């Protein structure tokens, strides 16, 4: 049994977003594997839990250190290293959960802020992520596409070295996959207030919040167009108030567009709260298909759309925009229809297929049932569970986390300091004669 501490910055309560959902299920999976678990959040802890669940103020390092000293393994997300010096210096086995490339997310999330604030937020997210990548013993991300991206990060930070490569040439002992997961137990029927007013309605559900990197506006236009010939079609937005993120301008734009097109409250319905985590299954089961539409940019390329997993969980065929790793899965496994970005005609055709082509919808649903088992939480989190079973320090850790990787900054490849380092290297490797010959050649060239 290993003592595992999990640290998050997200609120953990009846209403939870992606990071908190992930922490909650990781805690359950570790417990089921026989480990001793504690969860610490720097915001709010407001639900009963089968493991100790504690809220600590950011930068209350004395309070955090008690938990850090208790732990053998620490799994952390977000800005924990900048908030708690104990974590930066810890000699425990550190696992960085980088499933969310938060600096890329902030490029979109901060777009509506003043330019200086936007730049600062992106810089802070980048620095926090680099701090994790530089100091962690082990890292997990959500997809192979993300892993390739983070390998580039690690190389630039000096973490891909003879030591880490010799430890494992594929570097999976340094960074591996732990995608978002879904509950092995299927959702249970229940009340889905406001979702279905008529048993003949065909319902498309948007299973999460509305953020600026998504594209609800093209979808609303497509649904409004379909409604002109199929008045029983309905798009239901499951949540518009994220429990941990300020409302973005795109939410108001979506409301305004639906009102302008005359479909608000009829063919397009906004649930103006955030459905409790344990109740979302009833809404998913009451829908006929799931949808996720987004713009195509760098955030899309490396994103992992967690709401798609809820569609898998509920057995829903789906409509998704091209460009991210889930679109590849939907296309390869025929789980629904992949559409080009910002195309009303493509979305109209997709809606007709998933909601009104019964043969296609049945085929999609059968494929979803086949694929879903591979994303159940215990399987999705295997890399973290296995690490907790047999934790290890990174091959380049020698008792000082400040010395890992580039040690907090890159070395200049020119100048006196560089020359002295190179002279010392050649002195150790080849002796004073070789150093003397190199100095003579340098003098002659200059």
């Amino acid at each position: 049994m290993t003592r595992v501490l999990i640290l998050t910055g997200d609120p953990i309560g009846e209403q939870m977003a992606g990071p908190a959902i992930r922490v909650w299920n990781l805690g359950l999976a570790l417990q089921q594997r026989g480990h001793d678990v504690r969860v610490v959040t720097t915001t709010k802890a407001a639900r009963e839990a089968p493991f100790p669940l504690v809220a600590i103020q950011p930068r209350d390092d004395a309070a955090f250190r008690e938990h850090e000293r208790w732990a053998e393994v620490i799994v952390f997300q977000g800005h924990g290293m900048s908030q708690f010096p104990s974590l930066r210096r810890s000699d425990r086995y550190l696992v960085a959960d980088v499933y969310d490339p938060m600096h890329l997310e902030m490029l979109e999330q901060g777009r509506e802020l003043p330019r200086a604030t936007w730049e600062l937020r992106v810089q802070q997210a980048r620095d926090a992520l680099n701090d994790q990548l530089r100091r962690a013993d082990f890292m997990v991300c959500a997809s192979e596409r993300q892993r390739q991206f983070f390998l580039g990060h690690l190389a630039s930070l000096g973490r891909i070295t003879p030591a880490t490569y010799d430890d494992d040439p594929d570097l999976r002992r340094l960074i591996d996959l732990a995608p978002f997961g879904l509950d092995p137990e299927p959702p249970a029927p229940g009340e889905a207030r406001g979702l279905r007013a008529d048993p003949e309605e065909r319902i498309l559900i948007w299973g999460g919040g509305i953020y600026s990197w998504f594209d609800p506006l093209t979808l609303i236009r497509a649904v409004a167009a379909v409604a002109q010939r199929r008045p029983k079609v309905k798009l239901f937005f499951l949540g518009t108030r994220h429990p941990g993120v300020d409302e973005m301008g795109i939410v108001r734009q979506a409301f305004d567009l639906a009102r302008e097109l005359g479909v608000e409250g009829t063919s397009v319905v906004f649930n103006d709260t955030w459905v409790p985590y344990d109740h979302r299954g009833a809404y998913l089961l009451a829908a006929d298909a799931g949808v996720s539409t987004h713009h195509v940019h760098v955030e899309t390329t490396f994103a992992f759309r967690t709401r798609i997993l809820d569609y898998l969980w509920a057995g829903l065929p789906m409509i998704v925009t091209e460009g991210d790793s889930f679109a590849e899965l939907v296309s390869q496994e025929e789980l629904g229809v992949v559409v080009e970005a910002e195309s009303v005609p493509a979305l109209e055709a997709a809606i007709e297929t998933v909601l009104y082509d019964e043969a296609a919808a049945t085929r999609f649903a059968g494929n979803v049932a086949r694929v879903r088992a591979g994303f159940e939480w215990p399987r999705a989190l295997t890399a973290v569970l296995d690490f907790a079973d047999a934790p290890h320090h990174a091959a380049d850790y020698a008792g000082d986390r400040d010395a890992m990787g580039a040690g907090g900054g890159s070395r200049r490849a020119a100048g006196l300091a560089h020359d002295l380092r190179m002279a010392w290297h050649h002195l150790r490797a080849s002796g004073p004669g070789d150093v003397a010959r190199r100095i003579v050649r340098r003098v002659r060239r200059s």
Side-chain angles (χ1 to χ4, degrees), residues 215 218-219 221-222 293-294 321-322 339-351:
D215 179 19
T218 303
L219 178 61
R221 291 188 178 96
T293 52
H294 52 250
T321 307
E322 65 186 357
V339 298
E340 61 183 290
E342 302 176 21
S343 171
V344 170
L347 276 169
E348 283 189 67
I351 292 168

Side-chain angles (χ1 to χ4, degrees), residues 196-257:
R196 187 180 292 276
D198 184 331
E200 294 184 5
E201 286 179 333
R202 305 296 290 171
I203 297 175
L204 196 62
I205 192 166
W206 176 283
I210 302 174
Y211 313 127
S212 56
W213 50 88
F214 289 120
D215 179 19
L217 305 183
T218 303
L219 178 61
I220 290 169
R221 291 188 178 96
V223 169
V226 172
Q228 293 179 6
R229 54 187 182 272
R230 297 191 183 273
K232 299 288 188 179
V233 71
K234 179 188 283 186
L235 168 63
F236 185 85
F237 286 93
L238 186 60
T240 57
R241 297 182 187 274
H242 188 292
V245 176
D246 293 338
E247 182 179 293
M248 298 181 185
I250 189 64
V251 177
R252 177 48 49 195
Q253 293 176 45
F255 274 91
D256 290 347
L257 178 61

Side-chain angles (χ1 to χ4, degrees), residues 275-337:
V275 171
Y277 175 65
D278 293 334
H279 297 169
R280 75 195 191 289
Y283 287 83
L284 294 163
L285 285 180
D288 298 294
V291 63
S292 178
T293 52
H294 52 250
H295 302 288
V296 175
H297 40 54
V298 70
E299 189 275 340
T300 297
T301 303
F302 297 105
F304 192 86
R305 306 295 183 205
T306 56
R307 66 191 60 196
I308 304 295
L309 290 170
D310 270 351
Y311 303 155
L312 285 173
W313 182 48
L316 293 176
M318 58 197 78
I319 299 169
V320 300
T321 307
E322 65 186 357
D324 63 12
S325 56
F326 260 124
E328 293 177 355
L329 180 71
V330 171
S331 177
Q332 291 167 2
E333 301 291 346
E334 291 191 86
L335 309 180
V337 180

